[in-house]
Amino acid sequence: MKPFSTALSTRLLLSAIVASTASTLASLPAQASSHREAPFITRQPKVDGADFYMFRSYETGRSAYTTIIADYIPLQGPGDGPNYYEMDPDALYEIHIDNNGDGKEDLTFQFRFNNQNKDTQLAIGGKQVSIPLVINGGAIDGVNPAGLNVRETYTITMVKGDRRTGVRTPVTNASGGGTSFDKPVDNIGNKSIPDYAGYAAKHVYAITIPGCSTPGKVFVGQRKDPFVVNLGETFDLINIQAPATAFDPNAEKAGHDDLANKNVTSIELEVPTACLTNGTETVIGGWTTASVRQGRLMNPTPNTGTASKEGGAWTQVSRLGMPLVNEVVIGLKDKDQFNHSKPSGDAQFLNYVTNPTLPALVQILFGGAGVKAPTNFPRNDLVAAFLTGVKGVNQPANVVPSEMLRLNTSTAVSATQNRLGVIGGDSAGFPNGRRPGDDVVDIALRVVMGRLCILSIGCVPADAPSGSIDFTDGAYLDSTFFDNSFPYLKTPLPGSLKH
């Protein structure tokens, strides 16, 4: 994780541990919840799942709905043109719901994208010549405006049962019944898109979900990256102030957010909760994946605009449910394997949860400050947090241990959110689902160092000598950073501030 920095008692010892744990320090939650978290996915940024959220909608009058957000294409710099951050038309983006606790998807929402080059041309010296830009000089203020040179659209398919063999039905626009939805172009700048918030709002659609009598909502588009984290100092051997044994309110805001100037692309759904549960179990599990075709044939002469030909079966390359798992828990040698895996196969990763390396590293780095790792093995407290849900909070009646984000849909929406979620006394927050304002870095730091033992969940206080320390990375986050209505995440930062 990242919150402190003290001189090492011995650099040789640290080097040996870092090597033996496959560079765990380099995979701390510094790249946000899941930014560039595994070796292979760094070569596939368009299908890199960044963050996953699932919570009861807290917009006024919408508490009967569940909002699900899957963020992709992390670390987007405003103004990164002329080719902006389009989704991959050769990929399959999915959101999965397990509503009976067996570790397998019961509902899947599949998103496919299509990018149309309108080939806008200008008359130059008596010849029509294609322009090189996404825009042609006209203002962009509505859905598919004339001034937009590239139109990006998507379709949604709901699958009941196994995501590859189950019953497939299209999700349709509640106004008119169409199956194609427009995605807004990224926030190019204030001259091209004078009112981006209003422009993006025109891309929030009411949708008809198969088997659901009440419409839901969908939005797909660029947003301000909702995650906050102190990246640089984390990678520098957790070069941050050592933790204090007494609570220091200033420490939670002492760091800086290295994602403060970054955007991300969000896939957002708001679904009537009754359409996600199975009618008897109130706890649902969720995760997002991205898949690409097994084969790719490169075109040596892509003058038709087709640089490659994709084919073969879908192969999953990205997976994200609970935040920070692939970064903080899974060893480097298995990170790509985790991204290819399903929750039902998570027994192969069990040792990373029951015998985690991160607490030992934190102890070595900050042992001089009195920090000690929990002593209970297996770490049943982490099994509850990551694999089963916490009993009485978000654990299904019958559960197969598997990693996913779990939400108890019967827990009431909090009138006032606490950024620390359940350990802060707010039962509607993380790890009971995840809201944008839940500070999962601080929460996860405290949990991995034994906070659940202090609460006698899976262990006892004596097992966690440092469990009461309020670990923090100093990058502050709470619900005030976000809007109070769908799509909740803030308008993306513009490429240009000039009007």
Side-chain angles (χ1 to χ4, degrees):
M1 307 237 220
K2 12 193 271 23
F4 337 82
S5 124
T6 289
L8 273 180
S9 55
T10 161
R11 289 189 176 276
L12 288 176
L13 177 59
L14 175 62
S15 298
I17 290 178
V18 170
S20 67
T21 56
S23 301
T24 301
L25 282 176
S27 59
L28 302 181
Q31 290 285 7
S33 178
S34 192
H35 296 33
R36 292 171 53 84
E37 81 287 349
F40 179 76
I41 204 64
T42 62
R43 293 183 274 163
Q44 300 275 336
K46 285 183 178 289
V47 288
D48 184 359
D51 278 292
F52 185 70
Y53 303 85
M54 186 168 65
F55 54 94
R56 283 189 64 174
S57 298
Y58 51 87
E59 178 180 350
T60 301
R62 304 290 288 185
S63 61
Y65 293 78
T66 294
T67 295
I68 308 170
I69 302 173
D71 288 342
Y72 279 87
I73 318 181
L75 304 174
Q76 298 179 18
D80 284 357
N83 292 293
Y84 294 92
Y85 294 98
E86 299 168 356
M87 300 292 270
D88 189 347
D90 293 317
L92 175 65
Y93 301 85
E94 297 175 290
I95 291 172
H96 310 279
I97 300 295
D98 169 17
N99 59 25
N100 59 13
D102 66 355
K104 300 177 182 179
E105 66 273 10
D106 298 294
L107 296 173
T108 295
F109 295 92
Q110 298 180 333
F111 290 75
R112 295 293 312 275
F113 291 85
N114 180 63
N115 303 332
Q116 176 194 357
N117 181 358
K118 297 181 182 178
D119 193 24
T120 303
Q121 299 179 348
L122 297 179
I124 307 295
K127 296 182 178 181
Q128 292 296 119
V129 182
S130 300
I131 69 169
L133 305 175
V134 173
I135 57 173
N136 69 355
I140 297 174
D141 57 5
V143 176
N144 190 29
L148 188 61
N149 192 28
V150 175
R151 182 185 188 185
E152 190 172 9
T153 60
Y154 61 94
T155 59
I156 313 169
T157 301
M158 192 184 83
V159 184
K160 285 190 174 183
D162 183 274
R163 58 179 169 167
R164 297 293 178 258
T165 61
V167 178
R168 304 167 54 84
T169 313
V171 173
T172 59
N173 192 326
S175 300
T179 59
S180 181
F181 303 88
D182 275 86
K183 172 182 171 291
V185 71
D186 293 348
N187 197 352
I188 297 169
N190 292 335
K191 185 176 181 180
S192 299
I193 313 174
D195 176 18
Y196 193 89
Y199 164 68
K202 295 177 181 178
H203 296 80
V204 174
Y205 298 96
I207 54 175
T208 300
I209 301 169
C212 193
S213 60
T214 306
K217 290 182 181 179
V218 67
F219 171 81
V220 178
Q222 191 180 52
R223 298 281 89 187
K224 166 70 183 71
D225 194 321
F227 204 74
V228 300
V229 69
N230 192 342
L231 287 176
E233 292 172 353
T234 296
F235 284 131
D236 186 23
L237 294 181
I238 318 182
N239 188 17
I240 304 174
Q241 179 179 346
T245 54
F247 176 67
D248 178 4
N250 296 319
E252 294 179 337
K253 300 182 180 181
H256 61 277
D257 174 22
D258 286 295
L259 301 181
N261 297 315
K262 300 295 183 181
N263 294 324
V264 73
T265 299
S266 298
I267 299 174
E268 305 202 26
L269 286 169
E270 188 180 51
V271 182
T273 301
C275 300
L276 296 175
T277 62
N278 67 10
T280 56
E281 174 60 69
T282 62
V283 176
I284 59 174
W287 68 100
T288 183
T289 63
S291 301
V292 296
R293 296 295 188 182
Q294 283 185 343
R296 172 177 293 175
L297 181 64
M298 302 306 298
N299 186 351
T301 56
N303 55 0
T304 63
T306 303
S308 65
K309 179 66 175 178
E310 321 290 324
W314 290 113
T315 300
Q316 182 181 303
V317 294
S318 181
R319 169 188 169 187
L320 178 59
M322 287 283 288
L324 313 177
V325 169
N326 209 355
E327 294 76 7
V328 181
V329 180
I330 306 300
L332 181 61
K333 73 183 182 66
D334 286 325
K335 289 185 181 296
D336 288 333
Q337 176 65 15
F338 181 83
N339 270 347
H340 281 73
S341 67
K342 298 180 179 180
S344 58
D346 282 345
Q348 64 185 308
F349 305 115
L350 183 61
N351 286 344
Y352 289 123
V353 179
T354 59
N355 299 72
T357 57
L358 179 62
L361 287 167
V362 173
Q363 176 177 314
I364 290 168
L365 285 165
F366 304 110
V371 173
K372 295 182 179 180
T375 57
N376 55 303
F377 298 103
R379 287 291 301 274
N380 290 324
D381 53 327
L382 298 187
V383 170
F386 291 120
L387 301 180
T388 66
V390 177
K391 191 171 184 178
V393 178
N394 66 336
Q395 185 179 110
N398 299 295
V399 61
V400 174
S402 47
E403 186 278 315
M404 63 182 70
L405 188 63
R406 290 182 172 87
L407 171 68
N408 190 336
T409 61
S410 68
T411 304
V413 172
S414 298
T416 302
Q417 295 184 22
N418 186 304
R419 72 183 193 90
L420 296 176
V422 171
I423 67 171
D426 182 356
S427 59
F430 182 78
N432 185 16
R434 180 187 177 190
R435 303 165 301 198
D438 291 333
D439 194 339
V440 296
V441 173
D442 282 6
I443 297 170
L445 266 175
R446 299 175 195 191
V447 168
V448 79
M449 293 306 292
R451 180 58 57 90
L452 295 184
C453 297
I454 303 301
L455 301 176
S456 297
I457 297 174
C459 46
V460 297
D463 292 328
S466 299
S468 61
I469 295 178
D470 291 318
F471 294 96
T472 179
D473 70 337
Y476 190 80
L477 174 70
D478 67 14
S479 60
T480 64
F481 286 52
F482 305 96
D483 294 332
N484 291 318
S485 59
F486 188 86
Y488 293 100
L489 307 187
K490 289 289 189 180
T491 298
L493 302 171
S496 169
L497 294 173
K498 293 183 178 179
H499 287 276

